[in-house]
Amino acid sequence: MRTTTFFLLLAIGCGRPTTPPESAAEPAVTEPAETAPVAEPPDAAEASPANASAKPGINDNFLDPEMDVDKWVERFGAESREVVANQAAIVAAMNLQPGAAVADIGAGTGLYMKPFAEAVGAEGKVFAVDISPKFLEHLGAMASDAGYAQVQTIEAGERSSNLPEGSVDAVFICDTYHHFEYVEPTLASIRAALKPGGKLFVIDFVREEGSSEWILEHVRGGQDVFASEIEAAGFTGKQVLDVGLTENYMLAFTRGE
């Protein structure tokens, strides 16, 4: 299905950013278990800020049926990217346990697929979530080639992660939060997908006076703006994690009751 959204990843290949200098869940797309209900976004007909696009067209590049995935693999995997160079520290900060379930929203080119799959082990689960059909094809093939049976791809919607309700212990959004086009319902779906006490980890670009022209134009808000949105969606206990980032930042939140 062709939708526009948040994310994603974009992350990064962490998911995936649309950053030319650097930071968004591929073959068959697997579906969530039939017994697991999917968190429903608010009614699209309701008149609320949730129905206003935060950044129209921000995901157009990744919805292009002719998108060159190899180009993005090379770009997102560049060692010059902080989320590549500091990957080990980032994963360690998440403290993922064997048997846990983690969702990479905006999984993009699969930059974090291997470390997540190895962290949770064969008994765990990795949901590689993305809005891009081309990235999902790539992610599915990547998981199959690596023998990662614990990896499941999910096609996100413009207003929902489409994760099953209560299905994950942690959600990771790497350089793709600014790709959430409809922020309120997307965050609502993420909160519903997290188990009680579950963790939300967000990496995005530092946006402040003196930031590059690309960041100022492409990334719609800074750390305080995004943190306020996340807290308003029912997340608490904000932490700023020191994982060696300077051009980016990493935040952690807990799903509130």
Side-chain angles (χ1 to χ4, degrees), residues 87-102:
Q87 186 181 76
I90 290 168
V91 176
M94 295 174 66
N95 193 31
L96 297 172
Q97 300 298 307
V102 59

Side-chain angles (χ1 to χ4, degrees), residues 192-255:
L194 278 165
K195 299 173 185 178
K199 292 289 188 177
L200 170 63
F201 299 93
V202 177
I203 295 175
D204 218 299
F205 293 104
V206 173
R207 187 187 190 278
E208 57 188 18
E209 185 177 354
S211 293
S212 70
E213 182 179 350
W214 179 84
I215 289 178
L216 293 175
E217 180 178 336
H218 178 72
V219 181
R220 63 178 179 79
Q223 177 179 324
D224 290 345
V225 172
F226 291 170
S228 294
E229 293 173 351
I230 292 167
E231 289 171 336
F235 293 88
T236 62
K238 184 186 81 170
Q239 295 176 281
V240 181
L241 303 180
D242 183 3
V243 291
L245 305 177
T246 57
E247 298 174 355
N248 292 260
Y249 56 84
M250 183 175 184
L251 303 178
F253 301 85
T254 300
R255 179 193 185 276

Side-chain angles (χ1 to χ4, degrees), residues 2-41:
R2 186 183 185 280
T3 53
T4 55
T5 183
F6 50 77
F7 315 94
L8 199 136
L9 85 63
L10 306 270
I12 117 171
C14 186
R16 49 181 173 80
T18 56
T19 167
E22 334 188 302
S23 242
E26 290 175 17
V29 175
T30 57
E31 298 297 331
E34 293 182 2
T35 56
V38 173
E40 294 294 335

Side-chain angles (χ1 to χ4, degrees), residues 105-230:
I105 296 185
T109 59
L111 181 62
Y112 277 78
M113 181 184 291
K114 180 178 179 180
F116 284 169
E118 293 181 350
V120 303
E123 300 303 314
K125 193 74 177 178
V126 178
F127 293 100
V129 184
D130 210 281
I131 194 172
S132 167
K134 296 288 284 186
F135 278 150
L136 289 166
E137 290 175 9
H138 170 76
L139 291 164
M142 186 177 175
S144 179
D145 290 345
Y148 291 144
Q150 67 269 54
V151 174
Q152 176 178 331
T153 59
I154 293 181
E155 183 173 358
E158 62 181 6
R159 289 177 169 82
S160 178
S161 64
N162 286 333
L163 285 163
E165 186 173 348
S167 61
V168 293
D169 301 287
V171 169
F172 181 64
I173 305 169
C174 184
D175 282 349
T176 56
Y177 182 87
H178 63 271
H179 279 269
F180 287 8
E181 189 171 350
Y182 296 90
V183 178
E184 290 182 23
T186 298
L187 285 173
S189 78
I190 291 170
R191 184 179 181 280
L194 278 165
K195 299 173 185 178
K199 292 289 188 177
L200 170 63
F201 299 93
V202 177
I203 295 175
D204 218 299
F205 293 104
V206 173
R207 187 187 190 278
E208 57 188 18
E209 185 177 354
S211 293
S212 70
E213 182 179 350
W214 179 84
I215 289 178
L216 293 175
E217 180 178 336
H218 178 72
V219 181
R220 63 178 179 79
Q223 177 179 324
D224 290 345
V225 172
F226 291 170
S228 294
E229 293 173 351
I230 292 167

